Amino acid sequence: MDPKRPIRARLRSALAASALLLLSACGGASSEPPPLEGAAIGGDFTLVDKTGKTVRAADFKGRYTTLYFGYSFCPDVCPLDVQVLMQGYHRFAKAHPDLAAKVVPLFITIDPARDKPEIVGQFAAHFGKELIGLTGSDAQIAQIAKSYAVYYKKGQGTGPNDYLMDHSRAAYLMGPQGQPIALLPVDKDANAVADELAKWVH
């Protein structure tokens, strides 16, 4: 019997364990359960895009979606959040172009009275060609906001088109079957958004 064999066997085991640790340290899909797993968030919806074309939740089946609810007339928070969201998406796309191709970013207005199709289209275009702006009737927006537990309320203004919208601030990552996965940290920075996408999109 070769007396060195047990040592070699131990070395092989140690190298295999080290390889596993290195792989886990390099990122990739997480083995953790998604933070929003099982949450009653999401569902079917019917809205319209910048051309007035009907868009349904089923159109995105098989792909991941990110959803941010805001409005184009927002003076500060919405543009900043969407900028961070899309900068994070673009950094993720640069590092993982094949995975980013599976993700559809959506901007959904909570101010349909002013955010007509062409307006949400123009707003979305400022942040990247991948971002799809969506609007709809008051009832359609109310329905999707309820499905995603989004709060919004029209504030007081000096005229019919001069008002602010109070609304909750969140960006959702939804899975290929429409299942809720995680909230994207748009309140942090683009790197945090890119890292979160890399963690869950596979």
Side-chain angles (χ1 to χ4, degrees), residues 16-188:
S18 297
L20 286 172
L21 286 172
L22 286 171
L23 285 171
S24 64
C26 288
S30 175
S31 59
E32 306 170 24
L36 295 182
E37 186 176 74
I41 295 173
D44 195 19
F45 61 78
T46 301
L47 298 171
V48 295
D49 67 9
K50 64 180 181 180
T51 67
K53 178 185 175 183
T54 298
V55 176
R56 297 182 175 86
D59 296 338
F60 306 109
K61 188 174 182 180
R63 302 178 73 184
Y64 293 82
T65 52
T66 68
L67 299 91
Y68 183 86
F69 293 81
Y71 67 113
S72 72
F73 289 81
C74 180
D76 42 35
V77 173
C78 298
L80 289 175
D81 283 353
V82 177
Q83 182 179 41
V84 170
L85 175 65
M86 292 306 294
Q87 285 178 344
Y89 168 82
H90 289 138
R91 291 181 189 185
F92 172 65
K94 186 175 181 180
H96 308 282
D98 54 333
L99 295 178
K102 300 179 180 180
V103 181
V104 183
L106 304 175
F107 171 80
I108 300 168
T109 186
I110 44 82
D111 184 20
R114 291 182 296 185
D115 280 343
K116 302 305 181 185
E118 64 276 13
I119 299 297
V120 290
Q122 291 167 8
F123 178 83
H126 288 304
F127 304 97
K129 65 182 187 301
E130 305 89 353
L131 183 62
I132 299 174
L134 297 175
T135 187
S137 67
D138 289 345
Q140 288 170 329
I141 296 302
Q143 184 267 324
I144 190 172
K146 182 178 180 181
S147 296
Y148 282 84
V150 171
Y151 164 81
Y152 69 98
K153 183 179 180 181
K154 181 179 176 181
Q156 296 295 319
T158 57
N161 290 311
D162 183 18
Y163 57 87
L164 297 176
M165 297 289 294
D166 186 21
H167 64 95
S168 53
R169 182 183 177 191
Y172 297 95
L173 174 63
M174 307 297 287
Q177 303 305 316
Q179 74 275 23
I181 294 178
L183 293 175
L184 297 174
V186 293
D187 57 326
K188 294 183 179 179

Side-chain angles (χ1 to χ4, degrees), residues 28 88 91-92 184-185 189-201:
R91 291 181 189 185
F92 172 65
L184 297 174
D189 57 33
N191 287 331
V193 171
D195 289 345
E196 197 70 9
L197 288 170
K199 186 175 184 180
W200 301 113
V201 177

